[in-house]
């Protein structure tokens, strides 16, 4: 078990700045948070090593890539046991169109966020992949009509605004 990580104001400023722009070089990041480059580098490395910063990636626009339909799909399992849950998890991990998969409480066991080119592709995923799978009982999907907010940064404690 790891000790809880204590974050001070500089750590929070580093995290806020990186959430705004993960491409920041060490010198630019240091200038934004008002630290020396070496101090900033040590703190950034510590945040990465402790798993607070999990990685860096480009945020792609789905439409130019032909991915026009975002869908939230609730899935209920046919039976509730460890093997069935494992089989479903393996299925989901193998589907590129699944952006997120969450184990839920309530009327469904899982909530999936999917992205597909069109409704025909959505139908294929639901009818040819999810529903026929031995672990699945039923599926309920809702197509996103418009997105008001997406990929928001995590809310950090007050005073974390980057310089």
């Amino acid at each position: 078990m790891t000790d809880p990580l204590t974050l001070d104001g500089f750590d929070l400023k580093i995290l806020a700045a990186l959430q705004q722009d993960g491409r920041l070089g060490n010198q630019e990041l240091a200038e934004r948070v008002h630290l020396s480059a070496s101090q900033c580098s040590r703190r950034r490395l510590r945040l990465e090593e402790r798993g607070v910063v999990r990685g860096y990636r480009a945020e792609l626009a789905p439409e130019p890539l032909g991915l026009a339909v975002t869908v939230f799909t609730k899935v209920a399992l046919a039976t509730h046991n460890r093997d069935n849950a494992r089989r479903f998890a393996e299925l989901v991990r193998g589907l590129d169109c699944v952006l997120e998969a969450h184990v839920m409480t309530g009327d469904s066991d899982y909530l999936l966020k999917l992205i597909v080119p069109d409704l025909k592709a959505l139908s294929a995923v639901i009818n040819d992949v999810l529903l026929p799978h031995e672990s699945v009982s039923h599926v309920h999907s809702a197509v996103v009509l418009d997105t008001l907010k997406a990929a928001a940064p995590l809310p950090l404690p007050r005073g974390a605004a980057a310089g």
Side-chain angles (χ1 to χ4, degrees), residues 1-2 4 7 14 17 41 94 96 102 108 121 133 150 157 159:
M1 188 167 154
T2 60
L7 301 175
I14 289 169
S41 178
D96 290 342
H102 306 276
S108 299
H133 196 269

Side-chain angles (χ1 to χ4, degrees), residues 3-18:
D3 296 327
L5 184 61
T6 302
L7 301 175
D8 65 15
F10 287 114
D11 293 325
L12 295 172
K13 286 180 181 181
I14 289 169
L15 293 172
L18 289 174

Side-chain angles (χ1 to χ4, degrees), residues 58-135:
E59 184 179 337
L60 306 179
E63 293 84 6
L65 298 170
L67 299 168
V69 179
T70 301
V71 182
F72 287 93
T73 300
K74 293 180 178 182
V75 177
L77 294 183
T79 60
H80 292 91
N81 61 53
R82 188 177 307 231
D83 287 338
N84 207 37
R86 180 189 47 76
R87 284 191 295 273
F88 183 73
E90 288 172 0
L91 170 69
V92 167
R93 287 186 189 109
L95 294 173
D96 290 342
C97 64
V98 177
L99 300 178
E100 298 177 17
H102 306 276
V103 180
M104 304 296 290
T105 61
D107 62 351
S108 299
D109 298 307
Y110 296 90
L111 178 64
L112 309 179
K113 180 179 180 183
L114 310 171
I115 192 160
V116 293
D118 51 35
L119 293 178
K120 186 173 183 174
L122 174 61
S123 178
V125 171
I126 292 171
N127 294 313
D128 300 340
V129 179
L130 292 175
L131 284 173
H133 196 269
E134 63 188 3
S135 65

Side-chain angles (χ1 to χ4, degrees), residues 10-11 14 29-37 39-40 43:
F10 287 114
D11 293 325
I14 289 169
L29 180 60
E31 290 170 6
R32 286 195 188 186
V33 301
H34 308 292
L35 279 175
S36 71
Q39 287 178 320
C40 189
R43 286 172 177 267

